[in-house]
Amino acid sequence: MKSRMTQLLPMIRFGIVGLVNTGVDYIIFMLLAWTGVPVVVAQIISYSCGTANSYILNSKWTFSKQQANNTSKGQLLKFIVINLIVLGITSLLLQVLHTETKLPLALGKLIATAAGMIINYIGSRYWVFGSPSRKESESL
């Protein structure tokens, strides 16, 4: 049971951090869009704000026990790379949803964000913050 909870805890924490980041991203995006900022520009600005918050919270809380062998510079570079990939995918998806469908912008933003969260979790868990070895997992 403890082993299973040890595996689930980072996912739960990542989800909580993700909700906070999503709130930051979504509110800033909607405010920028409401003031007339183009969709992709608003996405870049709002996603960047959520990303800064994400790095701080995920590195200090979500994946903190997995970082023993990671250097902060290497980790930060990986974090930037994965988030640039997610930003590109979500910006493209948001633009397509906004211009090619009749979905409201707010709903398109939520769909793009959900897709980005999945990609971001996988990249963060297994590449940016590393996956703990089986022995480490059992001792957490």
Side-chain angles (χ1 to χ4, degrees):
M1 177 71 174
K2 185 175 181 178
S3 175
R4 186 160 186 80
M5 185 53 138
T6 301
Q7 292 173 340
L8 289 176
L9 191 57
M11 288 174 61
I12 293 167
R13 288 181 176 178
F14 188 84
I16 292 168
V17 171
L19 288 174
V20 172
N21 300 336
T22 300
V24 168
D25 177 15
Y26 191 81
I27 290 168
I28 292 172
F29 176 83
M30 294 308 293
L31 287 172
L32 291 171
W34 179 68
T35 62
V37 174
V39 171
V40 172
V41 174
Q43 172 67 1
I44 291 168
I45 293 168
S46 66
Y47 185 85
S48 297
C49 292
T51 298
N53 184 60
S54 175
Y55 182 77
I56 293 165
L57 293 179
N58 279 319
S59 66
K60 301 292 184 205
W61 186 52
T62 306
F63 301 111
S64 63
K65 295 193 186 303
Q66 295 174 216
Q67 297 183 55
N69 298 326
N70 247 339
T71 63
S72 61
K73 287 181 184 178
Q75 185 181 69
L76 180 58
L77 180 61
K78 289 178 181 180
F79 184 82
I80 290 168
V81 169
I82 196 69
N83 277 282
L84 286 173
I85 291 167
V86 172
L87 176 59
I89 292 168
T90 58
S91 295
L92 179 63
L93 180 57
L94 182 59
Q95 184 64 32
V96 168
L97 290 171
H98 179 64
T99 60
E100 304 297 325
T101 71
K102 294 182 188 226
L103 288 176
L105 181 59
L107 181 57
K109 173 65 175 167
L110 289 175
I111 292 168
T113 298
M117 286 177 73
I118 293 166
I119 298 164
N120 199 329
Y121 177 77
I122 293 166
S124 294
R125 171 88 167 121
Y126 296 104
W127 187 55
V128 176
F129 299 105
S131 181
S133 68
R134 182 178 200 122
K135 189 174 184 179
E136 288 174 354
S137 292
E138 292 169 0
S139 69
L140 293 178

